[in-house]
Amino acid sequence: MSDRQMTAAVIDDAPEMRAAMAALLSAFEYNVETYDSAESFLICASTSRAQFLLVDIQLGGISGVQLAHQLAAQEFKLPIIFMTGCDNEKLACQTAEAGGIALLRKPFPAKFLIDAINKAVS
């Protein structure tokens, strides 16, 4: 990775997943912002320092896919890497249509995440 000062925003309603992703990204020298919902990210989107998002699809309120559509409607151009516990072709299509860079199925190896980040920021 060429730029280790990049910031990632992790959006997941599971505290343990947010913590795990924050620890993993920090180990790869990324700065990390964490949010427990799409709504909490939307409130802070204009002041977020994130260069890319790592978003769970199934969130309590607004879904990860709906978040992507709302961000696009508000002209935020952040690359999004989606995460899911489901293995579903329909979700893969929805995330691609929403502009997702990758869809990672939990649990996923760190290499898959780093490869997706490299694709997102290149």
Side-chain angles (χ1 to χ4, degrees), residues 39-62:
E39 293 87 347
S40 65
F41 179 75
L42 285 169
I43 290 168
C44 301
S46 65
T47 59
S48 171
R49 301 178 97 183
Q51 283 94 19
F52 64 93
L53 307 179
L54 183 58
V55 181
D56 188 31
I57 290 176
Q58 296 176 333
L59 298 166
I62 297 171

Side-chain angles (χ1 to χ4, degrees), residues 78-95:
L78 295 170
I80 300 174
I81 300 165
F82 289 103
M83 306 178 289
T84 184
C86 301
D87 192 2
N88 177 321
E89 192 170 316
K90 183 179 177 184
L91 277 179
C93 290
Q94 289 176 341
T95 59

Side-chain angles (χ1 to χ4, degrees), residues 2-82:
S2 60
D3 186 0
R4 300 213 185 244
Q5 297 304 309
M6 297 190 84
T7 299
V10 176
I11 304 163
D12 198 308
D13 57 352
E16 61 280 353
M17 189 65 177
R18 283 194 313 274
M21 290 297 95
L24 177 61
L25 290 165
S26 293
F28 282 94
E29 300 182 19
Y30 287 97
N31 296 315
V32 182
E33 299 174 356
T34 61
Y35 301 89
D36 63 358
S37 68
E39 293 87 347
S40 65
F41 179 75
L42 285 169
I43 290 168
C44 301
S46 65
T47 59
S48 171
R49 301 178 97 183
Q51 283 94 19
F52 64 93
L53 307 179
L54 183 58
V55 181
D56 188 31
I57 290 176
Q58 296 176 333
L59 298 166
I62 297 171
S63 75
V65 173
Q66 291 169 321
L67 172 63
H69 289 298
Q70 286 193 22
L71 290 171
Q74 295 176 19
E75 299 189 12
F76 285 99
K77 307 280 188 216
L78 295 170
I80 300 174
I81 300 165
F82 289 103

